[in-house]
Amino acid sequence: MNQIFSSRSMSWLNVFAWLTCIATLFLICSGGMVTSKGVGLAVPDWPTTFGYNMFLFPASKWIGGIFFEHTHRLIASAVGFLTIILAIWLWRSEPRRWVRNLGALALGAVILQGVLGGLRVTMLKDEIGIFHACLAQAFLGLVVVIALVTSKFWSTLSNVIVDPRKLAAIITTAIAITIAIYMQLALGATMRHQHRDLAILDFPTANGAWIPDTSEAALAKINAWRDARALSDVDAFQIWLQMAHRFLAAIIAIAVVAFWLRVRRDAQSIAALKRLSLFWVALVACQITLGAWTIWSNKAADVATAHVGVGAIMLCFGVSISAICWRISHRQVGRPAATGLGAPAFGNTGRLVA
């Protein structure tokens, strides 16, 4: 009976963890909309909202940019409350100490994220906004790991057997791509917070060339053209920052396709990896399309926000794939010789310990 009760409790915990993931993704999209619309300072005070308690601010005043900024704060508060509950739930019911520590780490990260969000308003520093965006993506990845390791699927990975040498290559590639995606998201956050308009307004070319000219004379000509259209001036750094974003996108796209082909060849027995890697390829295609559309639309808020959201989902896939590979590798190295490998192990308290 205790075992059944514990199993149900873990199932609900996993559902709650995935709910926190979805709320965090929604929060990231909300933040992307705030930045894309340039309304990050529509509410000039923090933690209050025009002097009101954040939760008591009259709905009749949620107009214009205030609506996007204020709802972002409310969603952030909801994610904070969910994370507190998740951390407490893990600490009380999760037997694996390292998973409990992940919950504590998530709690610390969400507190830091809230402080950074407030400092961005009170100190008016773009650099804080960039770090705030990067931490949000890292927090999402952390919560996805928590949701994954508390799932029943996690224990079934004990059954999988793959050639260790092939698995080592797969996990190295997955981690490298995931790190590259995170770097790409950081570049995107820097672009969004560092410049009001796009530095390059054409795609796939860049200011009419495949490799942009950023000489002093070329920049003067570009800025004269932009001034005539009421666009902000750009410098060489901003142009090359956007080019770096494009170059890294191409590298990631090639790497994800190569990873999918490697999984099909070397990890046929891991159905989850095959599906996830295929979806990863589809996400890359979608993300490149949204990136081009963002440029062609001169950073239309809804398109740019979708671009941010799909980028976050790509990171989640990378984190999930890397975690699955690590789990399989870890279980193959430490697998006991005479135990039921396919079933989750329960201690004498009836709680899941594998």
Side-chain angles (χ1 to χ4, degrees):
M1 180 64 70
N2 287 338
Q3 181 171 317
I4 295 173
F5 177 80
S6 178
S7 179
R8 288 179 178 174
S9 176
M10 294 297 291
S11 295
W12 281 112
L13 171 62
N14 183 244
V15 170
F16 189 84
W18 284 117
L19 174 63
T20 306
C21 291
I22 294 171
T24 303
L25 179 60
F26 189 38
L27 175 61
I28 289 174
C29 291
S30 170
M33 183 64 77
V34 168
T35 304
S36 297
K37 285 186 171 292
V39 296
L41 297 176
V43 180
D45 53 330
W46 183 86
T48 55
T49 299
F50 291 103
Y52 287 88
N53 180 300
M54 182 192 310
F55 305 104
L56 301 178
F57 184 62
S60 61
K61 298 187 178 185
W62 297 17
I63 55 176
I66 296 172
F67 171 80
F68 295 101
E69 171 63 6
H70 182 62
T71 53
H72 179 63
R73 294 186 181 191
L74 294 180
I75 297 168
S77 299
V79 170
F81 286 126
L82 290 174
T83 306
I84 292 171
I85 296 171
L86 179 62
I88 294 173
W89 198 339
L90 286 170
W91 202 259
R92 290 180 60 86
S93 63
E94 173 57 59
R96 295 165 293 182
R97 182 172 181 176
W98 65 274
V99 179
R100 296 199 302 270
N101 289 340
L102 288 180
L105 182 61
L107 179 58
V110 83
I111 292 172
L112 176 60
Q113 183 73 338
V115 173
L116 286 173
L119 292 177
R120 171 66 182 91
V121 174
T122 58
M123 297 181 66
L124 306 178
K125 294 285 187 180
D126 287 336
E127 295 82 0
I128 296 176
I130 295 169
F131 189 64
H132 182 63
C134 292
L135 181 57
Q137 300 285 356
F139 174 77
L140 175 61
L142 176 59
V143 179
V144 165
V145 170
I146 292 174
L148 190 60
V149 302
T150 55
S151 67
K152 294 180 180 179
F153 165 74
W154 186 254
S155 64
T156 66
L157 294 174
S158 301
N159 285 326
V160 180
I161 299 176
V162 182
D163 185 330
R165 290 170 298 180
K166 294 179 178 179
L167 183 59
I170 290 173
I171 190 172
T172 300
T173 305
I175 292 173
I177 295 174
T178 303
I179 292 172
I181 291 173
Y182 187 76
M183 292 173 59
Q184 179 76 331
L185 293 172
L187 283 174
T190 304
M191 288 167 53
R192 291 194 307 276
H193 287 85
Q194 204 263 345
H195 202 255
R196 182 168 59 86
D197 302 306
L198 288 171
I200 303 173
L201 295 170
D202 54 328
F203 181 86
T205 55
N207 294 327
W210 293 108
I211 303 296
D213 182 0
T214 54
S215 64
E216 187 174 339
L219 285 174
K221 184 177 179 180
I222 290 169
N223 285 325
W225 182 89
R226 294 174 69 92
D227 290 343
R229 291 159 178 79
L231 297 171
S232 54
D233 287 352
V234 297
D235 56 31
F237 172 77
Q238 291 160 347
I239 291 174
W240 285 110
L241 179 66
Q242 191 166 331
M243 288 302 296
H245 192 65
R246 293 187 183 189
F247 289 144
L248 187 53
I251 292 171
I252 291 171
I254 294 170
V256 168
V257 173
F259 179 80
W260 169 60
L261 294 174
R262 178 181 285 273
V263 168
R264 288 188 61 190
R265 184 189 67 191
D266 296 338
Q268 282 289 333
S269 61
I270 313 177
L273 276 188
K274 291 193 295 182
R275 295 192 191 100
L276 287 174
S277 61
L278 179 59
F279 282 126
W280 220 9
V281 172
L283 284 170
V284 164
C286 180
Q287 185 70 335
I288 291 174
T289 302
L290 286 171
W293 192 0
T294 299
I295 295 170
W296 294 332
S297 66
N298 192 18
K299 204 167 68 172
D302 52 349
V303 179
T305 300
H307 189 54
V308 171
V310 174
I313 295 172
M314 281 192 64
L315 179 67
C316 292
F317 271 64
V319 168
S320 299
I321 289 169
S322 299
I324 290 170
C325 292
W326 174 86
R327 168 68 170 176
I328 295 170
S329 175
H330 175 71
R331 293 300 292 175
Q332 286 191 176
V333 171
R335 177 178 290 146
T339 58
L341 301 178
F346 292 89
N348 54 16
T349 62
R351 294 189 299 176
L352 181 67
V353 297

